[in-house]
Amino acid sequence: MHSFLITGSSEKNRLDTIASRCKEWNIAPIDEARLTTEEASLGIAQVREFTRRLMLKPFSSPYTIGIIPH
């Protein structure tokens, strides 16, 4: 398992970088797990679901990736 931390610039630029890496690594959108919330903090249930999703075998890509936009 590898981890990448993409920081700096604007949120749009960071998301563009993530999109280009996904395209480069042939990651289908179905194999992307995103951890987002509308609230000020994350709940333990959201984190558990996110980690459960990351443990699943990818559906149509070589990898499953997790994205935490904020």
Side-chain angles (χ1 to χ4, degrees):
M1 178 189 299
H2 299 311
S3 298
F4 298 94
L5 179 62
I6 301 170
T7 62
S9 193
S10 68
E11 182 179 357
K12 181 188 179 318
N13 287 344
R14 289 190 303 269
L15 292 175
D16 288 344
T17 299
I18 291 168
S20 68
R21 294 292 181 244
C22 288
K23 186 175 181 180
E24 179 182 331
W25 297 331
N26 297 320
I27 306 295
I30 196 166
D31 293 321
E32 295 177 8
R34 291 184 182 258
L35 181 59
T36 58
T37 184
E38 300 297 322
E39 301 166 14
S41 62
L42 294 171
I44 190 67
Q46 290 172 297
V47 175
R48 286 183 177 150
E49 177 59 26
F50 182 68
T51 56
R52 184 197 67 77
R53 176 70 175 87
L54 289 175
M55 289 185 226
L56 296 175
K57 181 180 176 186
F59 182 71
S60 65
S61 304
Y63 313 103
T64 298
I65 65 165
I67 301 170
I68 305 171
H70 299 295

